[in-house]
């Protein structure tokens, strides 16, 4: 079969079995995926072409089970602008979403313990503004004028079977104009109020996620530490307190 024959050959989705339209195929390592099934994958997943049919099936099962976790999620804190980080501090979980009706979007629910790091990446773009002469020619201002834009990106590194990072832009770019002397003159964006606010938001997200990660790690270490035997003040026995801090023999509190 020639190139055009393969192009117009009918294909079926290896997940749902439905027929795939001409421009609707999403190639897998060993099969085909329709665009409707592809929409159900995690928005942070980027390894589709290198994934097998069985791996995609497993992820879609996880995504379906995730809906129940979304229903149980209770927001206690909201961070960010545009794309937001929502925390459920009581359950030790979080999600990242840009959807206003986020419950319907089925965002991935992650435990604080899955966070391995958080970075803020600020990308600067610079262009020189020029004025147009009557003949249409563009020339530099004197002194030169520059336009800067800053894109704030938050990268949350996670331990997940389906993706290892969540990268998102924190709102629209911050626009800053500057008048300089020489070509290449720089500008101090931190004098810009909007830049300051965007930087504060990004650092707030980073601090929040790294702090809760440290708390979870500390709690895990304390839970794994061997318990020390003490003398019960009520019955005098040498006892190893249970999880509630009570004597294993008489049930009295050994912490009071």
């Amino acid at each position: 079969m020639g190139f055009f024959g393969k192009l117009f050959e009918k294909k079926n989705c290896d997940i749902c079995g439905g027929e795939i339209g001409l421009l609707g195929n999403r190639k897998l390592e060993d099969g085909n995926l329709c665009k409707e099934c592809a929409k159900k994958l995690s928005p942070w997943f980027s390894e589709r072409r290198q994934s097998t049919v069985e791996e995609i099936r497993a992820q879609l099962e996880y995504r379906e089970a995730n809906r129940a976790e979304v229903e149980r999620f209770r927001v206690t804190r909201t961070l960010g602008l545009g794309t937001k980080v929502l925390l459920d501090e009581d359950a030790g979980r979080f999600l990242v979403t840009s959807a206003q009706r986020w419950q319907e979007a089925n965002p991935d629910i992650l435990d604080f313990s899955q966070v391995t790091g958080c970075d803020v990446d600020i990308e600067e773009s610079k262009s020189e503004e020029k004025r147009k002469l009557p003949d249409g020619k563009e020339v530099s201002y004197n002194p030169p004028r520059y336009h800067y834009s800053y894109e704030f990106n938050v990268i949350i590194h996670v331990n997940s079977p389906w993706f290892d990072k969540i990268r998102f832009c924190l709102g629209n770019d911050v626009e800053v104009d500057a008048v300089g002397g020489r070509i290449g003159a720089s500008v101090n964006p931190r004098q810009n109020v909007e830049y300051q606010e965007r930087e504060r938001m990004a650092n707030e997200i980073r601090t929040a996620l790294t702090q809760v990660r440290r708390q979870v790690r500390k709690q895990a270490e304390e839970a794994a530490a061997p318990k020390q035997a003490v003398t019960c003040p009520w019955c005098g026995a040498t006892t190893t307190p249970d999880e509630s801090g009570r004597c294993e023999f008489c049930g009295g509190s050994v912490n009071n």
Side-chain angles (χ1 to χ4, degrees), residues 13 20 35 54 67 118 148 191 203 228 233-234 242-243:
C13 177
I20 300 175
K35 61 182 180 181
E54 287 307 311
R67 294 185 182 279
C118 186
Y148 295 80
Q191 295 176 346
N203 288 328
Q228 300 294 321
W234 302 100
D242 62 16
E243 294 180 354

Side-chain angles (χ1 to χ4, degrees), residues 8-73:
F8 292 102
E9 180 185 8
K10 289 185 179 179
K11 297 181 178 66
N12 291 89
C13 177
D14 288 302
I15 301 299
C16 69
E19 186 174 319
I20 300 175
L22 179 61
L23 301 177
N25 191 28
R26 307 292 185 266
K27 286 292 295 178
L28 303 177
E29 183 177 294
D30 60 351
N32 301 297
L33 183 71
C34 71
K35 61 182 180 181
E36 294 305 317
C37 287
K39 289 178 182 178
K40 300 176 183 178
L41 297 171
S42 168
W44 314 117
F45 176 65
S46 61
E47 302 295 325
R48 187 250 307 161
R49 283 185 171 273
Q50 291 75 43
S51 300
T52 65
V53 172
E54 287 307 311
E55 288 170 338
I56 294 298
R57 280 204 182 100
Q59 184 181 163
L60 290 176
E61 289 177 4
Y62 145 74
R63 290 284 293 157
E64 193 58 35
N66 188 75
R67 294 185 182 279
E69 303 304 321
V70 170
E71 291 181 4
R72 287 193 283 267
F73 194 90

Side-chain angles (χ1 to χ4, degrees), residues 189-205:
R190 287 189 171 86
Q191 295 176 346
N192 180 280
V193 175
E194 188 179 0
Y195 184 102
Q196 294 173 6
E197 178 62 13
R198 202 67 54 84
E199 191 172 42
R200 184 198 65 76
M201 288 182 183
N203 288 328
E204 184 181 30
I205 293 172

Side-chain angles (χ1 to χ4, degrees), residues 112-131:
F112 291 156
S113 61
Q114 290 179 265
V115 177
T116 59
C118 186
D119 300 318
V120 177
D121 179 29
I122 305 173
E123 297 182 1
E124 179 189 82
S125 298
K126 173 187 172 183
S127 60
E128 183 183 358
E129 294 184 5
K130 295 187 177 183
R131 61 190 179 91

Side-chain angles (χ1 to χ4, degrees), residues 168-221:
F168 60 95
C169 183
L170 193 61
N172 297 326
D173 291 359
V174 175
E175 308 292 336
V176 180
D177 291 314
V179 176
R182 67 187 189 283
I183 294 294
S186 60
V187 63
N188 183 3
R190 287 189 171 86
Q191 295 176 346
N192 180 280
V193 175
E194 188 179 0
Y195 184 102
Q196 294 173 6
E197 178 62 13
R198 202 67 54 84
E199 191 172 42
R200 184 198 65 76
M201 288 182 183
N203 288 328
E204 184 181 30
I205 293 172
R206 177 170 58 186
T207 300
L209 290 177
T210 52
Q211 281 183 345
V212 294
R213 171 57 182 159
R214 282 196 294 268
Q215 292 170 0
V216 169
R217 183 175 296 176
K218 182 180 179 181
Q219 292 169 356
E221 290 174 351

